[in-house]
Amino acid sequence: MKLYALAAYLLFMPYLLKTEPEKYSYDDLVRDGETVWDGISNNQALLTLRNMKKGDKLVIYHSNVGKAAVGTAKVVSVDASDPKNPVVRIQPVKRLKKEKPLAEIREAEEFQDSPMFRQFRLSVVPLTEEQYRWLTEN
């Protein structure tokens, strides 16, 4: 990994956020321009949210309906003063030119050890830089 890529990775961590599009879709995020990512109750997902920081890179994944990575976003602020309810504000960056369906993600070598497939119910999943690039390349 080149030095500048390593620095960017250490500065801005990538994450995958799962959402049910019938409740709140990527198009809703684009329409709203910004939102608080909430409704998380899983302790591991809450810990991951609390560890996020401004500038972190996000991939938005539609679960239940569509089952695909659909767009990118970024963290604009984090208030983790209440550990049971961290306030993470996000903004959309861009819709993926080509959505990455669950079947393709599952088959990708980059995701063989991903918590996305070991802990299916996790709604906030840390990504490696390689996973982020794979999801967002078109």
Side-chain angles (χ1 to χ4, degrees), residues 13-29:
M13 291 286 297
Y15 298 93
L16 182 136
L17 302 180
K18 293 180 184 178
T19 184
E20 297 175 13
E22 64 277 6
K23 293 182 181 176
Y24 195 82
S25 70
Y26 188 77
D27 290 335
D28 294 327
L29 176 59

Side-chain angles (χ1 to χ4, degrees), residues 16-21 24-30 37 58-63 65-73 92-102 105 135-136 138:
L16 182 136
L17 302 180
K18 293 180 184 178
T19 184
E20 297 175 13
Y24 195 82
S25 70
Y26 188 77
D27 290 335
D28 294 327
L29 176 59
V30 170
W37 203 259
L58 309 170
V59 173
I60 306 301
Y61 175 87
H62 283 170
S63 61
V65 177
K67 295 187 180 182
V70 296
T72 62
V93 173
K94 71 175 187 173
R95 178 172 276 288
L96 297 179
K97 290 179 186 173
K98 178 183 177 284
E99 294 182 0
K100 295 284 179 122
L102 177 61
I105 298 169
L135 287 167
T136 58
N138 292 299

Side-chain angles (χ1 to χ4, degrees), residues 49-100:
L49 280 178
R50 287 195 304 269
N51 289 330
M52 286 183 178
K53 59 191 175 307
K54 181 178 179 179
D56 281 345
K57 304 176 291 186
L58 309 170
V59 173
I60 306 301
Y61 175 87
H62 283 170
S63 61
N64 296 343
V65 177
K67 295 187 180 182
V70 296
T72 62
K74 66 180 178 180
V75 175
V76 293
S77 68
V78 178
D79 176 0
S81 57
D82 178 356
K84 294 203 181 282
N85 190 26
V87 178
V88 177
R89 297 194 73 76
I90 69 169
Q91 288 179 338
V93 173
K94 71 175 187 173
R95 178 172 276 288
L96 297 179
K97 290 179 186 173
K98 178 183 177 284
E99 294 182 0
K100 295 284 179 122

